[in-house]
């Protein structure tokens, strides 16, 4: 690994960390994430992000179990990796592998050609979210600032 290897703390912006979002469905959460990424960087199309996330979900749910989902997709013309962390006010159905509803979502949008980085980040995320105490701390965050700090602190 090089010094420029991607880590969660250098792809997640505070503006893309959203706490206790009201969402009624998987589709709505993916729309919400796409809209926020577009607000953060208006050169990116929320429609394209949403469609790519939905296309990836059609291949198989990104709900990894224990109330956690890591939706991800590749995006044409993107020059850097974008992460978005969302906690959901009331758990939603996500077709997760354990059939449990989801309330913790980390979306990952990567450049079209970023394959090894993509897999490395997915691996890092899955490892972090495998720690129940870490997930509990994220779920207990009352605001976006606290959620962001806990996500970053948990990554060091």
């Amino acid at each position: 690994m090089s010094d420029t290897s991607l880590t969660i703390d250098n792809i997640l912006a505070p503006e893309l960390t959203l706490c206790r979002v009201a969402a009624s469905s998987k589709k709505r959460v993916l729309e919400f994430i796409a809209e926020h990424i577009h607000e953060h960087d208006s050169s990116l199309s929320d429609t394209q992000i949403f469609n790519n996330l939905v296309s990836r979900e059609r291949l198989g749910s990104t709900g990894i179990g224990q109330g956690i989902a890591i939706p991800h997709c590749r995006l044409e013309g993107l020059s850097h990796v974008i992460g978005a962390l969302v906690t959901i006010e009331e758990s939603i159905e996500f077709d997760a592998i354990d059939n449990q509803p989801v309330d913790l979502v980390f979306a990952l949008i990567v450049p079209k050609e970023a394959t090894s980085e993509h897999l490395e980040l997915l691996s890092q995320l899955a490892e972090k979210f495998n720690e129940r105490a870490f997930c509990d701390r994220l779920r207990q965050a009352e605001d976006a600032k606290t959620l962001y700090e806990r996500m970053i602190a948990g990554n060091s």
Side-chain angles (χ1 to χ4, degrees), residues 9-134:
D9 53 339
N10 62 24
I11 63 159
L12 180 64
E15 305 79 35
L16 291 175
T17 306
L18 306 151
C19 190
R20 301 186 184 243
V21 170
S24 53
S25 67
K26 178 198 258 194
K27 177 180 182 273
R28 186 61 204 119
V29 168
L30 298 178
E31 279 175 345
F32 181 83
I33 289 168
E35 288 162 6
H36 270 77
I37 290 172
H38 171 72
E39 284 173 20
H40 181 65
D41 182 345
S42 60
S43 72
L44 302 175
S45 161
D46 52 343
T47 305
Q48 188 181 10
I49 294 167
F50 172 72
N51 289 340
N52 289 10
L53 286 170
V54 168
S55 293
R56 170 56 190 86
E57 286 299 319
R58 284 193 191 115
L59 298 175
S61 177
T62 56
I64 62 169
Q66 299 179 353
I68 300 154
I70 308 177
H72 53 279
C73 68
R74 295 185 186 163
L75 192 62
E76 193 75 52
L78 186 63
S79 61
H80 59 287
V81 176
I82 299 171
L85 175 63
V86 178
T87 58
I88 302 169
E89 189 69 54
E90 290 192 33
S91 299
I92 56 165
E93 203 47 56
F94 215 92
D95 303 317
I97 56 172
D98 62 358
N99 293 317
Q100 296 301 307
V102 163
D103 65 348
L104 195 53
V105 179
F106 194 105
L108 194 58
I109 316 298
V110 300
K112 191 84 170 157
E113 50 290 324
T115 49
S116 59
E117 295 97 327
H118 185 175
L119 296 173
E120 174 58 32
L121 281 166
L122 285 173
S123 169
Q124 286 180 40
L125 288 166
E127 196 175 309
K128 288 301 327 158
F129 288 127
N130 203 25
E131 299 171 28
R132 188 174 294 265
F134 172 72

